[in-house]
């Protein structure tokens, strides 16, 4: 039993490292060849994990080879348009100017009911409201509505808006994010002073704290419902 546990931990660590090297992708964003590699890695890892008679290297070496192949193919497809067409395919237009593209639907064997379901899930129940519906190479459907049907933007109303950047995390689970403070030219002394205004004298009491681009400090204390903004 101990041997199985050790082998499982080793294989788990190897797969985590390999997946990190292969890059950050959600399952729905994987290209076909990337999905194949992920499935093969899972199968290769399961064999030596279940059968202790098989050497660990018999599973780890093929996994490393697959990782190298995937990284190589990704690099080639990034540099070559032709290679990208071969490995990933091309986006397909399923709806154009509010009309179904029958030829493309037949070629992809894409059911009209499935297309309507996808459009409804994106809040476009009427095909006539859609300028373009594009099936991307990863299988996701991108919808571009007609200009009359898209949501109103501040630019349409000629309204000026303020810049909104990403809030910066300052404290997470009682730990001060020193690097983040440094990036915005602040320090722990400033943060301590701001929190003291709310009667908080210990960073360990803070579950989460962030600062937005408008200079407002948000925080939430541990173990109870509470928060604030300055």
């Amino acid at each position: 039993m101990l041997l199985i546990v050790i082998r499982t931990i080793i294989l788990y660590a190897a797969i985590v490292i390999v997946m990190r090297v292969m890059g950050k992708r959600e399952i729905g964003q994987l290209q076909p060849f990337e999905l194949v590699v992920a499935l093969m890695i899972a199968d290769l890892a399961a064999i030596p994990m279940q059968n202790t008679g098989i050497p660990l290297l018999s599973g780890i070496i093929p996994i490393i080879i697959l990782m190298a192949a995937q990284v190589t193919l990704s690099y080639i497809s990034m540099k070559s348009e032709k290679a990208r067409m071969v490995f990933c395919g091309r986006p397909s237009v399923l709806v154009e100017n509010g009309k179904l593209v029958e030829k493309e639907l037949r070629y992809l064997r894409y059911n009209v009911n499935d297309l309507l379901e996808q459009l409804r899930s994106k809040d476009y129940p009427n095909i006539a409201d859609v300028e373009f519906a594009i099936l991307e190479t990863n299988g996701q459907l991108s919808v571009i509505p007609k200009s009359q049907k898209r949501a109103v933007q501040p630019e349409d109303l000629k309204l000026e808006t303020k810049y909104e950047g990403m809030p910066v995390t300052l404290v997470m689970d009682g730990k001060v994010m020193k690097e983040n403070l440094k990036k915005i030219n602040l320090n722990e002394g400033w943060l301590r002073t701001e929190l003291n205004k709310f009667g908080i004298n210990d960073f360990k009491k803070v579950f989460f704290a962030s600062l937005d681009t408008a200079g407002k400090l948000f925080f939430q204390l541990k173990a109870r419902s509470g928060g604030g903004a300055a």
Side-chain angles (χ1 to χ4, degrees):
M1 183 62 69
L2 180 60
L3 180 61
I4 294 176
V5 171
I6 294 173
R7 289 167 67 93
T8 301
I9 292 173
I10 293 173
L11 285 167
Y12 173 76
I15 292 174
V16 168
I17 293 171
V18 166
M19 298 306 289
R20 287 286 292 167
V21 172
M22 287 169 56
K24 297 179 181 179
R25 289 286 190 94
E26 294 181 4
I27 294 298
Q29 297 176 333
L30 292 177
Q31 297 295 340
F33 74 94
E34 294 174 326
L35 181 59
V36 169
V37 170
L39 293 174
M40 290 180 69
I41 287 176
D43 286 339
L44 287 170
I47 294 172
M49 194 181 299
Q50 295 172 348
N51 190 345
T52 56
I54 299 176
L56 272 179
L57 288 178
S58 297
I60 293 176
I61 291 177
I63 289 174
I64 294 174
I65 293 173
L66 282 175
M67 177 198 70
Q70 192 275 337
V71 171
T72 302
L73 290 178
S74 296
Y75 181 79
I76 293 173
S77 64
M78 182 177 65
K79 294 294 183 179
S80 171
E81 180 68 26
K82 291 183 179 179
R84 186 157 53 247
M85 289 287 291
V86 172
F87 297 143
C88 305
R90 59 175 179 80
S92 301
V93 178
L94 304 184
V95 178
E96 186 173 1
N97 299 324
K99 295 182 179 180
L100 295 169
V101 183
E102 295 183 35
K103 181 180 178 181
E104 201 68 23
L105 286 168
R106 290 197 186 97
Y107 174 74
L108 296 173
R109 298 180 298 280
Y110 202 92
N111 191 289
V112 175
N113 288 328
D114 292 337
L115 175 60
L116 293 174
E117 180 182 342
Q118 290 292 320
L119 291 175
R120 287 194 297 269
S121 69
K122 295 180 181 294
D123 298 324
Y124 294 103
N126 191 351
I127 291 181
D129 296 340
V130 179
E131 190 75 42
F132 292 100
I134 304 168
L135 186 65
E136 305 293 355
T137 56
N138 60 11
Q140 293 189 353
L141 187 70
S142 299
V143 180
I144 302 173
K146 292 184 176 179
S147 58
Q148 301 90 342
K149 298 297 180 178
R150 63 182 171 87
V152 177
Q153 303 291 328
E155 184 179 8
D156 298 330
L157 303 176
K158 297 182 179 180
L159 297 175
E160 293 186 2
T161 57
K162 295 181 180 180
Y163 170 75
E164 292 183 1
M166 288 287 291
V168 179
T169 301
L170 304 181
V171 181
M172 186 178 294
D173 198 15
K175 183 179 179 181
V176 178
M177 304 287 102
K178 297 180 181 179
E179 287 295 323
N180 290 351
L181 278 169
K182 187 177 179 180
K183 288 179 182 178
I184 56 176
N185 298 317
L186 296 174
N187 53 44
E188 289 188 43
W190 172 86
L191 180 59
R192 189 180 300 277
T193 300
E194 291 298 313
L195 292 175
N196 282 341
K197 295 177 182 178
F198 298 91
I200 304 169
N201 52 20
D202 188 354
F203 292 134
K204 292 182 180 180
K205 295 180 180 180
V206 181
F207 181 68
F208 179 81
S210 65
L211 186 72
D212 65 18
T213 51
K216 292 184 178 180
L217 178 67
F218 169 84
F219 66 89
Q220 181 175 325
L221 301 180
K222 287 183 178 181
R224 62 189 173 110
S225 178

